[in-house]
Amino acid sequence: MGKGISVIQPRAASDAARTDRELVVLLDEEYQRVGVADKATVHTGDTPLHLAFSCYVLDADDRVLLTRRALGKTTWPGVWTNSCCGHPAPEEGFEEAVRRRAGQELGLAVGGVRSALPDFRYRAVSAEGIVENEFCPVFWARAEGEPSPNPEEVAEYAWVEWADLVAVAGRTPWLLSPWAVEQIPRLDAL
């Protein structure tokens, strides 16, 4: 377990909903749940494996919503990435988590949430030395309106053609988050 990480024992969903802390689900190497921890203590130079998700949101014209992370983000500030990411709460399903996070981060209702890469896992180290170590299934969703992003999460956004995003990931990967660079070719191969 990472230094400085306080593991919180799992509790009922109703108890988790009453806390102001965002909890993440800790996993072992077989992706079995082994506990929960406060998100604020997990992302360090020695981040334990935990559960997350990524989502790519499409509009009515099948363009994908690309977001640029807010400059105040701890890791990869100002970097372009997929539509939204997050961590399911301890008793929350992925579809519910995707919908919740799209609302919080993008100010956007989404529908048609479907699994794309159910077994995606990655590890990346930011320039600040913070490690991302996530079992991170990837989803598609459909926008139900226009985004109104939370400025603490998203600096700006753009609707882009999928082929253009694939080209950017292949030719200029430094413009994108490391998880998006890994996810995009796998999604394109489906």
Side-chain angles (χ1 to χ4, degrees):
M1 204 61 57
K3 296 177 184 168
I5 295 172
S6 55
V7 176
I8 302 164
Q9 294 304 310
R11 52 183 148 186
S14 59
D15 290 341
R18 285 193 292 256
T19 182
D20 290 336
R21 295 180 295 185
E22 183 178 351
L23 302 177
V24 299
V25 176
L26 302 176
L27 303 173
D28 65 18
E29 287 299 317
E30 285 77 43
Y31 310 135
Q32 299 299 307
R33 295 168 186 242
V34 295
V36 298
D38 188 328
K39 178 185 170 191
T41 67
V42 170
H43 295 95
T44 67
D46 190 25
T47 302
L49 180 62
H50 60 280
L51 190 59
F53 66 86
S54 288
C55 183
Y56 290 78
V57 176
L58 301 171
D59 69 3
D61 297 321
D62 286 334
R63 296 176 303 170
V64 66
L65 179 62
L66 193 62
T67 60
R68 190 165 71 89
R69 293 170 59 84
L71 296 177
K73 297 290 277 183
T74 304
T75 57
W76 290 279
V79 173
W80 286 95
T81 193
N82 57 291
S83 306
C84 70
C85 295
H87 301 86
E91 300 298 326
E92 185 178 40
F94 280 114
E95 183 174 343
E96 182 183 1
V98 167
R99 289 175 185 272
R100 173 183 54 81
R101 193 66 186 149
Q104 291 173 338
E105 190 169 320
L106 303 171
L108 180 66
V110 297
V113 177
R114 61 185 171 89
S115 177
L117 299 173
D119 62 348
F120 183 75
R121 178 180 177 177
Y122 78 99
R123 185 179 185 283
V125 182
S126 74
E128 303 80 17
I130 297 173
V131 175
E132 289 281 0
N133 185 17
E134 298 180 337
F135 177 66
C136 184
V138 181
F139 295 84
W140 292 108
R142 190 65 69 174
E144 296 177 350
E146 275 299 310
S148 179
N150 175 346
E152 293 180 9
E153 299 287 343
V154 178
E156 59 187 316
Y157 69 92
W159 292 104
V160 300
E161 297 294 332
W162 179 254
D164 293 339
L165 183 54
V166 171
V168 167
R171 292 185 192 138
T172 55
W174 58 87
L175 294 176
L176 299 171
S177 68
W179 56 91
V181 169
E182 288 186 43
Q183 293 166 355
I184 291 166
R186 288 184 60 185
L187 289 167
D188 195 50
L190 294 178

